[in-house]
Amino acid sequence: MDIGVLLPTGTAQWGAYDDAGELIAFGRHAERAGFTSLFVNDSLVSPRIEALTMLAALAPVTDTVTLGTAALMPFLRRPIQAAQSLASIDLLSGGRLTVTVGAGFPGRFGRPLYTLSELPWERRFARLDETVALWRALWDGAGAFQGEILRFTDIPPTTRPFRAGGPPVWLGGATPAALARAGRLYDGWLPYPPDPADYASGLHAIHKAAADAGRTTEAITPALFVSVRIDDDIDSGRRALDDYARATYGMPLPELEKIQAVVSGSENQVLERLEAYVAAGARHIVVRLGCLGMHAQRDQLERLADLIPAVRRACGPASTSAGLGTVTSHD
């Protein structure tokens, strides 16, 4: 059972006197506190530390934690350039990189970014899948790639990652098409469904798609992205989460809760809710701390760290073969 934390790389999550350099110390502290992964998210439309730059900075100052993206949007970068950057981070970290990818979605995190990247919005999912296939080909030493959208010949030698085949690549998203693609093509799944029952049904669909493609269920890491706020005063905690939702997404908390997994309440209430996702099949939980300011982030990190043993116990010894954190072969 892996439990990780999303670093607050966006300036909307910082306090007035916070220093970006504190993110390094925050990541190192999370590793010492027992978290097994550090994740960062990706965007062009909000001020933040660029995702791959953040992971490269963390690689030499951490020892064991997985370094991951949640989620990287490959269309923001040239595909061969991105393959080079990801391979470099995997090398620098000694093979600790995990890459979750997404194609963006309608709204300010979707079509406008494609316009800025000078790419068409149409066929974005096919472009995403081909980009990942290109990365894997380059990481295996290919000198050419011929897809329907991406075509390259005479590719000079590129940086090879630490691990043969490169880092595992997970897919975000929970539409029926995304579930089928995750089962066929990807090494893991990182969604944020508000209802644990939807997580369970989504994972079942992924396993079916994997079986139909001749893959084993162990080849796919079942992960979860969830916002968490621990507070003994429920009303105060909800107000703080609402401030976070408005600062981060420009929407009130009740609207965010309709589309993303959000868990709040006392330690016992948060634990009970996380256990429901574990029972639904989640085996790598990536937590976004629902608070503003680095001091508050540290406080929530400490409170969540106290729950790590109990969340791991909820997984149970019979579930340790779920493939968490393992390097799997690619299709």
Side-chain angles (χ1 to χ4, degrees):
M1 185 73 210
D2 281 317
I3 303 174
V5 63
L6 184 81
L7 271 70
T9 56
T11 58
Q13 286 84 55
W14 302 350
Y17 302 102
D18 288 340
D19 185 336
E22 293 183 44
L23 292 169
I24 300 295
F26 185 90
R28 297 179 67 184
H29 182 70
E31 181 178 47
R32 292 193 298 269
F35 292 89
T36 53
S37 60
L38 301 174
F39 277 73
V40 296
N41 54 17
D42 190 26
S43 181
L44 271 183
V45 295
S46 58
R48 68 178 62 250
I49 302 300
E50 193 272 330
L52 301 187
T53 303
M54 187 76 250
L55 295 184
L58 288 168
V61 298
T62 55
D63 298 313
T64 61
V65 286
T66 294
L67 303 176
T69 60
L72 190 76
M73 292 183 282
F75 65 88
L76 298 179
R77 299 163 179 84
R78 299 289 187 183
I80 294 179
Q81 172 203 14
Q84 286 277 84
S85 297
L86 294 169
S88 298
I89 294 170
D90 197 53
L91 274 173
L92 290 169
S93 66
R96 291 186 284 124
L97 180 64
T98 290
V99 186
T100 307
V101 297
F105 47 87
R108 68 190 183 104
F109 296 105
R111 192 183 292 268
L113 298 185
Y114 278 82
T115 299
L116 290 172
S117 300
E118 301 179 317
L119 290 174
W121 174 251
E122 293 73 26
R123 302 199 68 194
R124 59 193 182 278
F125 302 115
R127 180 181 295 275
L128 174 65
D129 293 345
E130 279 201 10
T131 298
V132 172
L134 168 65
W135 292 349
R136 289 171 171 167
L138 293 174
W139 294 336
D140 280 333
F145 182 84
Q146 295 295 321
E148 293 184 19
I149 299 173
L150 302 177
R151 299 180 181 182
F152 298 96
T153 58
D154 299 324
I155 302 173
T158 58
T159 301
R160 304 291 289 274
F162 184 85
R163 291 164 288 183
V169 183
W170 299 356
L171 183 66
T175 64
L179 299 176
R181 290 164 50 235
R184 292 196 317 269
L185 303 171
Y186 288 85
D187 304 309
W189 180 49
L190 183 63
Y192 44 67
D195 189 339
D198 291 333
Y199 187 94
S201 62
L203 187 57
H204 177 77
I206 286 174
H207 286 170
K208 182 181 184 304
D212 291 344
R215 307 180 73 202
T216 65
T217 58
E218 289 79 9
I220 303 167
T221 299
L224 170 74
F225 185 87
V226 56
S227 296
V228 171
R229 169 82 190 200
I230 302 173
D231 203 311
D232 294 326
D233 185 329
I234 306 303
D235 292 336
S236 174
R238 294 282 297 176
R239 288 194 295 271
L241 260 179
D242 185 71
D243 291 341
Y244 182 88
R246 292 175 186 274
T248 304
Y249 287 103
M251 67 173 65
L253 178 60
E255 293 301 312
L256 182 65
E257 289 175 314
K258 293 177 182 178
I259 58 176
Q260 290 191 11
V262 179
V263 175
S264 64
S266 66
E267 282 89 348
N268 287 337
Q269 289 172 319
V270 168
L271 177 60
E272 181 180 1
R273 189 65 171 171
L274 293 179
E275 287 175 338
Y277 281 104
V278 173
R283 294 294 180 269
H284 193 141
I285 298 176
V286 179
V287 174
R288 177 170 56 187
L289 302 171
C291 52
L292 300 175
M294 292 302 297
H295 178 77
Q297 287 272 334
R298 284 225 179 199
D299 176 69
Q300 285 292 306
L301 186 77
E302 295 289 348
R303 301 193 70 172
L304 183 62
D306 291 338
L307 297 184
I308 289 177
V311 176
R312 287 183 174 149
R313 285 194 297 269
C315 180
S319 300
T320 56
S321 62
L324 276 187
T326 58
V327 179
T328 58
S329 60
H330 302 312
D331 286 357

